[in-house]
mmCIF file of all heavy atoms in Angstrom:
data_model
loop_
_atom_site.group_PDB
_atom_site.id
_atom_site.type_symbol
_atom_site.label_atom_id
_atom_site.label_comp_id
_atom_site.label_asym_id
_atom_site.label_seq_id
_atom_site.Cartn_x
_atom_site.Cartn_y
_atom_site.Cartn_z
ATOM 1 N N ARG L 387 -45.864 -8.616 4.260
ATOM 2 C CA ARG L 387 -45.093 -8.838 5.475
ATOM 3 C C ARG L 387 -43.643 -9.178 5.141
ATOM 4 O O ARG L 387 -42.719 -8.692 5.771
ATOM 5 C CB ARG L 387 -45.718 -9.986 6.274
ATOM 6 C CG ARG L 387 -47.014 -9.603 6.987
ATOM 7 C CD ARG L 387 -47.434 -10.688 7.941
ATOM 8 N NE ARG L 387 -47.630 -11.948 7.227
ATOM 9 C CZ ARG L 387 -47.825 -13.111 7.833
ATOM 10 N NH1 ARG L 387 -47.823 -13.178 9.164
ATOM 11 N NH2 ARG L 387 -48.008 -14.202 7.119
ATOM 12 N N PHE L 388 -43.476 -10.035 4.133
ATOM 13 C CA PHE L 388 -42.121 -10.405 3.725
ATOM 14 C C PHE L 388 -41.356 -9.188 3.221
ATOM 15 O O PHE L 388 -40.204 -8.967 3.560
ATOM 16 C CB PHE L 388 -42.183 -11.481 2.638
ATOM 17 C CG PHE L 388 -40.816 -11.902 2.161
ATOM 18 C CD1 PHE L 388 -40.028 -12.747 2.929
ATOM 19 C CD2 PHE L 388 -40.331 -11.438 0.944
ATOM 20 C CE1 PHE L 388 -38.779 -13.126 2.489
ATOM 21 C CE2 PHE L 388 -39.078 -11.807 0.512
ATOM 22 C CZ PHE L 388 -38.300 -12.661 1.287
ATOM 23 N N GLY L 389 -42.056 -8.360 2.403
ATOM 24 C CA GLY L 389 -41.413 -7.157 1.873
ATOM 25 C C GLY L 389 -41.040 -6.189 2.973
ATOM 26 O O GLY L 389 -39.967 -5.589 2.957
ATOM 27 N N SER L 390 -41.918 -6.041 3.957
ATOM 28 C CA SER L 390 -41.634 -5.141 5.067
ATOM 29 C C SER L 390 -40.423 -5.619 5.852
ATOM 30 O O SER L 390 -39.554 -4.840 6.242
ATOM 31 C CB SER L 390 -42.857 -5.040 5.987
ATOM 32 O OG SER L 390 -43.950 -4.505 5.293
ATOM 33 N N ALA L 391 -40.380 -6.926 6.106
ATOM 34 C CA ALA L 391 -39.238 -7.479 6.836
ATOM 35 C C ALA L 391 -37.948 -7.292 6.055
ATOM 36 O O ALA L 391 -36.896 -6.961 6.616
ATOM 37 C CB ALA L 391 -39.482 -8.970 7.107
ATOM 38 N N THR L 392 -38.047 -7.494 4.729
ATOM 39 C CA THR L 392 -36.867 -7.311 3.881
ATOM 40 C C THR L 392 -36.391 -5.865 3.911
ATOM 41 O O THR L 392 -35.197 -5.588 4.020
ATOM 42 C CB THR L 392 -37.188 -7.725 2.431
ATOM 43 O OG1 THR L 392 -37.637 -9.077 2.430
ATOM 44 C CG2 THR L 392 -35.949 -7.596 1.550
ATOM 45 N N LEU L 393 -37.364 -4.938 3.806
ATOM 46 C CA LEU L 393 -37.009 -3.518 3.859
ATOM 47 C C LEU L 393 -36.392 -3.154 5.195
ATOM 48 O O LEU L 393 -35.416 -2.399 5.269
ATOM 49 C CB LEU L 393 -38.251 -2.661 3.597
ATOM 50 C CG LEU L 393 -38.776 -2.670 2.163
ATOM 51 C CD1 LEU L 393 -40.111 -1.921 2.088
ATOM 52 C CD2 LEU L 393 -37.764 -2.049 1.214
ATOM 53 N N ALA L 394 -36.962 -3.697 6.262
ATOM 54 C CA ALA L 394 -36.432 -3.410 7.598
ATOM 55 C C ALA L 394 -35.013 -3.939 7.744
ATOM 56 O O ALA L 394 -34.127 -3.277 8.284
ATOM 57 C CB ALA L 394 -37.339 -4.020 8.667
ATOM 58 N N LEU L 395 -34.795 -5.164 7.229
ATOM 59 C CA LEU L 395 -33.463 -5.752 7.285
ATOM 60 C C LEU L 395 -32.472 -4.947 6.473
ATOM 61 O O LEU L 395 -31.350 -4.677 6.908
ATOM 62 C CB LEU L 395 -33.519 -7.195 6.776
ATOM 63 C CG LEU L 395 -32.182 -7.957 6.744
ATOM 64 C CD1 LEU L 395 -31.603 -8.046 8.151
ATOM 65 C CD2 LEU L 395 -32.371 -9.342 6.152
ATOM 66 N N ALA L 396 -32.905 -4.540 5.267
ATOM 67 C CA ALA L 396 -32.031 -3.739 4.409
ATOM 68 C C ALA L 396 -31.673 -2.424 5.085
ATOM 69 O O ALA L 396 -30.528 -1.957 5.021
ATOM 70 C CB ALA L 396 -32.709 -3.481 3.065
ATOM 71 N N ALA L 397 -32.675 -1.822 5.724
ATOM 72 C CA ALA L 397 -32.426 -0.551 6.417
ATOM 73 C C ALA L 397 -31.431 -0.740 7.553
ATOM 74 O O ALA L 397 -30.536 0.091 7.767
ATOM 75 C CB ALA L 397 -33.740 0.011 6.956
ATOM 76 N N ALA L 398 -31.580 -1.841 8.282
ATOM 77 C CA ALA L 398 -30.661 -2.112 9.394
ATOM 78 C C ALA L 398 -29.240 -2.331 8.897
ATOM 79 O O ALA L 398 -28.271 -1.820 9.469
ATOM 80 C CB ALA L 398 -31.145 -3.338 10.172
ATOM 81 N N VAL L 399 -29.128 -3.105 7.793
ATOM 82 C CA VAL L 399 -27.807 -3.347 7.209
ATOM 83 C C VAL L 399 -27.182 -2.041 6.746
ATOM 84 O O VAL L 399 -25.998 -1.781 6.955
ATOM 85 C CB VAL L 399 -27.903 -4.358 6.043
ATOM 86 C CG1 VAL L 399 -26.584 -4.434 5.290
ATOM 87 C CG2 VAL L 399 -28.305 -5.721 6.568
ATOM 88 N N SER L 400 -27.986 -1.193 6.107
ATOM 89 C CA SER L 400 -27.488 0.095 5.630
ATOM 90 C C SER L 400 -27.015 0.955 6.786
ATOM 91 O O SER L 400 -25.972 1.617 6.713
ATOM 92 C CB SER L 400 -28.576 0.840 4.848
ATOM 93 O OG SER L 400 -28.963 0.097 3.713
ATOM 94 N N LEU L 401 -27.795 0.936 7.878
ATOM 95 C CA LEU L 401 -27.419 1.729 9.043
ATOM 96 C C LEU L 401 -26.112 1.241 9.633
ATOM 97 O O LEU L 401 -25.225 2.035 9.976
ATOM 98 C CB LEU L 401 -28.524 1.650 10.103
ATOM 99 C CG LEU L 401 -28.278 2.427 11.410
ATOM 100 C CD1 LEU L 401 -28.082 3.910 11.106
ATOM 101 C CD2 LEU L 401 -29.417 2.219 12.382
ATOM 102 N N LEU L 402 -25.964 -0.098 9.708
ATOM 103 C CA LEU L 402 -24.711 -0.658 10.221
ATOM 104 C C LEU L 402 -23.544 -0.289 9.327
ATOM 105 O O LEU L 402 -22.438 -0.011 9.808
ATOM 106 C CB LEU L 402 -24.828 -2.184 10.323
ATOM 107 C CG LEU L 402 -25.692 -2.716 11.472
ATOM 108 C CD1 LEU L 402 -25.849 -4.227 11.334
ATOM 109 C CD2 LEU L 402 -25.084 -2.365 12.819
ATOM 110 N N ALA L 403 -23.781 -0.303 8.017
ATOM 111 C CA ALA L 403 -22.714 0.056 7.078
ATOM 112 C C ALA L 403 -22.280 1.496 7.284
ATOM 113 O O ALA L 403 -21.086 1.810 7.278
ATOM 114 C CB ALA L 403 -23.182 -0.153 5.635
ATOM 115 N N VAL L 404 -23.265 2.397 7.466
ATOM 116 C CA VAL L 404 -22.949 3.805 7.685
ATOM 117 C C VAL L 404 -22.163 3.980 8.970
ATOM 118 O O VAL L 404 -21.156 4.697 9.027
ATOM 119 C CB VAL L 404 -24.246 4.651 7.736
ATOM 120 C CG1 VAL L 404 -23.933 6.069 8.208
ATOM 121 C CG2 VAL L 404 -24.901 4.678 6.372
ATOM 122 N N VAL L 405 -22.622 3.291 10.038
ATOM 123 C CA VAL L 405 -21.912 3.384 11.318
ATOM 124 C C VAL L 405 -20.490 2.857 11.180
ATOM 125 O O VAL L 405 -19.541 3.452 11.697
ATOM 126 C CB VAL L 405 -22.670 2.587 12.402
ATOM 127 C CG1 VAL L 405 -21.835 2.490 13.675
ATOM 128 C CG2 VAL L 405 -24.008 3.252 12.710
ATOM 129 N N SER L 406 -20.340 1.744 10.447
ATOM 130 C CA SER L 406 -19.007 1.171 10.252
ATOM 131 C C SER L 406 -18.094 2.136 9.529
ATOM 132 O O SER L 406 -16.930 2.304 9.880
ATOM 133 C CB SER L 406 -19.095 -0.136 9.457
ATOM 134 O OG SER L 406 -19.846 -1.088 10.167
ATOM 135 N N VAL L 407 -18.621 2.778 8.477
ATOM 136 C CA VAL L 407 -17.823 3.749 7.729
ATOM 137 C C VAL L 407 -17.426 4.920 8.610
ATOM 138 O O VAL L 407 -16.277 5.374 8.612
ATOM 139 C CB VAL L 407 -18.605 4.244 6.484
ATOM 140 C CG1 VAL L 407 -17.901 5.431 5.857
ATOM 141 C CG2 VAL L 407 -18.758 3.117 5.480
ATOM 142 N N LEU L 408 -18.406 5.401 9.396
ATOM 143 C CA LEU L 408 -18.108 6.533 10.271
ATOM 144 C C LEU L 408 -17.040 6.176 11.284
ATOM 145 O O LEU L 408 -16.117 6.954 11.548
ATOM 146 C CB LEU L 408 -19.394 6.979 10.986
ATOM 147 C CG LEU L 408 -20.444 7.669 10.113
ATOM 148 C CD1 LEU L 408 -21.707 7.916 10.917
ATOM 149 C CD2 LEU L 408 -19.905 8.981 9.546
ATOM 150 N N LEU L 409 -17.142 4.974 11.849
ATOM 151 C CA LEU L 409 -16.143 4.554 12.826
ATOM 152 C C LEU L 409 -14.788 4.350 12.163
ATOM 153 O O LEU L 409 -13.756 4.713 12.715
ATOM 154 C CB LEU L 409 -16.596 3.249 13.499
ATOM 155 C CG LEU L 409 -17.793 3.371 14.446
ATOM 156 C CD1 LEU L 409 -18.212 1.990 14.936
ATOM 157 C CD2 LEU L 409 -17.473 4.283 15.631
ATOM 158 N N ALA L 410 -14.795 3.759 10.952
ATOM 159 C CA ALA L 410 -13.536 3.515 10.254
ATOM 160 C C ALA L 410 -12.861 4.815 9.863
ATOM 161 O O ALA L 410 -11.638 4.905 9.819
ATOM 162 C CB ALA L 410 -13.792 2.656 9.012
ATOM 163 N N ASP L 411 -13.687 5.845 9.561
ATOM 164 C CA ASP L 411 -13.129 7.112 9.107
ATOM 165 C C ASP L 411 -12.761 8.035 10.259
ATOM 166 O O ASP L 411 -12.269 9.134 10.027
ATOM 167 C CB ASP L 411 -14.131 7.831 8.187
ATOM 168 C CG ASP L 411 -14.258 7.123 6.845
ATOM 169 O OD1 ASP L 411 -13.364 6.325 6.527
ATOM 170 O OD2 ASP L 411 -15.243 7.376 6.151
ATOM 171 N N THR L 412 -13.037 7.615 11.501
ATOM 172 C CA THR L 412 -12.682 8.451 12.642
ATOM 173 C C THR L 412 -11.169 8.580 12.702
ATOM 174 O O THR L 412 -10.460 7.574 12.809
ATOM 175 C CB THR L 412 -13.197 7.826 13.956
ATOM 176 O OG1 THR L 412 -14.613 7.683 13.867
ATOM 177 C CG2 THR L 412 -12.845 8.713 15.131
ATOM 178 N N PRO L 413 -10.633 9.796 12.619
ATOM 179 C CA PRO L 413 -9.174 9.962 12.597
ATOM 180 C C PRO L 413 -8.531 9.471 13.889
ATOM 181 O O PRO L 413 -9.050 9.682 14.984
ATOM 182 C CB PRO L 413 -9.006 11.481 12.439
ATOM 183 C CG PRO L 413 -10.321 11.987 11.945
ATOM 184 C CD PRO L 413 -11.353 11.066 12.517
ATOM 185 N N LYS L 414 -7.418 8.792 13.744
ATOM 186 C CA LYS L 414 -6.644 8.368 14.903
ATOM 187 C C LYS L 414 -5.578 9.427 15.214
ATOM 188 O O LYS L 414 -5.186 10.198 14.346
ATOM 189 C CB LYS L 414 -5.986 7.019 14.645
ATOM 190 C CG LYS L 414 -6.940 5.834 14.688
ATOM 191 C CD LYS L 414 -6.179 4.522 14.552
ATOM 192 C CE LYS L 414 -7.072 3.313 14.836
ATOM 193 N NZ LYS L 414 -8.213 3.220 13.936
ATOM 194 N N THR L 415 -5.118 9.426 16.433
ATOM 195 C CA THR L 415 -4.089 10.375 16.848
ATOM 196 C C THR L 415 -2.707 9.749 16.693
ATOM 197 O O THR L 415 -2.571 8.536 16.483
ATOM 198 C CB THR L 415 -4.296 10.777 18.312
ATOM 199 O OG1 THR L 415 -4.104 9.610 19.143
ATOM 200 C CG2 THR L 415 -5.702 11.338 18.541
ATOM 201 N N VAL L 416 -1.682 10.569 16.831
ATOM 202 C CA VAL L 416 -0.304 10.081 16.780
ATOM 203 C C VAL L 416 -0.096 9.024 17.868
ATOM 204 O O VAL L 416 0.503 7.969 17.625
ATOM 205 C CB VAL L 416 0.695 11.247 16.952
ATOM 206 C CG1 VAL L 416 2.105 10.718 17.173
ATOM 207 C CG2 VAL L 416 0.676 12.154 15.723
ATOM 208 N N ALA L 417 -0.591 9.301 19.058
ATOM 209 C CA ALA L 417 -0.429 8.360 20.173
ATOM 210 C C ALA L 417 -1.105 7.033 19.881
ATOM 211 O O ALA L 417 -0.559 5.958 20.193
ATOM 212 C CB ALA L 417 -0.985 8.973 21.458
ATOM 213 N N GLN L 418 -2.288 7.074 19.285
ATOM 214 C CA GLN L 418 -3.005 5.837 18.972
ATOM 215 C C GLN L 418 -2.273 5.005 17.931
ATOM 216 O O GLN L 418 -2.187 3.775 18.049
ATOM 217 C CB GLN L 418 -4.424 6.171 18.491
ATOM 218 C CG GLN L 418 -5.349 6.646 19.601
ATOM 219 C CD GLN L 418 -6.694 7.127 19.074
ATOM 220 O OE1 GLN L 418 -6.767 7.743 18.003
ATOM 221 N NE2 GLN L 418 -7.753 6.854 19.816
ATOM 222 N N TYR L 419 -1.757 5.656 16.914
ATOM 223 C CA TYR L 419 -1.007 4.919 15.898
ATOM 224 C C TYR L 419 0.288 4.360 16.468
ATOM 225 O O TYR L 419 0.680 3.221 16.161
ATOM 226 C CB TYR L 419 -0.712 5.816 14.703
ATOM 227 C CG TYR L 419 -1.835 5.862 13.681
ATOM 228 C CD1 TYR L 419 -2.314 7.077 13.199
ATOM 229 C CD2 TYR L 419 -2.405 4.692 13.191
ATOM 230 C CE1 TYR L 419 -3.339 7.122 12.262
ATOM 231 C CE2 TYR L 419 -3.431 4.732 12.252
ATOM 232 C CZ TYR L 419 -3.892 5.943 11.790
ATOM 233 O OH TYR L 419 -4.905 5.981 10.859
ATOM 234 N N ASN L 420 0.981 5.131 17.290
ATOM 235 C CA ASN L 420 2.222 4.644 17.893
ATOM 236 C C ASN L 420 1.973 3.453 18.808
ATOM 237 O O ASN L 420 2.827 2.566 18.948
ATOM 238 C CB ASN L 420 2.917 5.767 18.671
ATOM 239 C CG ASN L 420 3.629 6.754 17.756
ATOM 240 O OD1 ASN L 420 4.059 6.387 16.651
ATOM 241 N ND2 ASN L 420 3.759 7.989 18.190
ATOM 242 N N ALA L 421 0.797 3.425 19.409
ATOM 243 C CA ALA L 421 0.452 2.318 20.299
ATOM 244 C C ALA L 421 -0.006 1.079 19.537
ATOM 245 O O ALA L 421 -0.072 -0.014 20.120
ATOM 246 C CB ALA L 421 -0.638 2.756 21.275
#
Side-chain angles (χ1 to χ4, degrees):
R387 286 190 301 171
F388 179 77
S390 298
T392 303
L393 289 173
L395 179 60
V399 171
S400 299
L401 179 59
L402 286 173
V404 170
V405 171
S406 298
V407 169
L408 289 174
L409 290 175
D411 289 342
T412 301
K414 286 185 170 60
T415 65
V416 169
Q418 287 173 323
Y419 274 131
N420 283 332

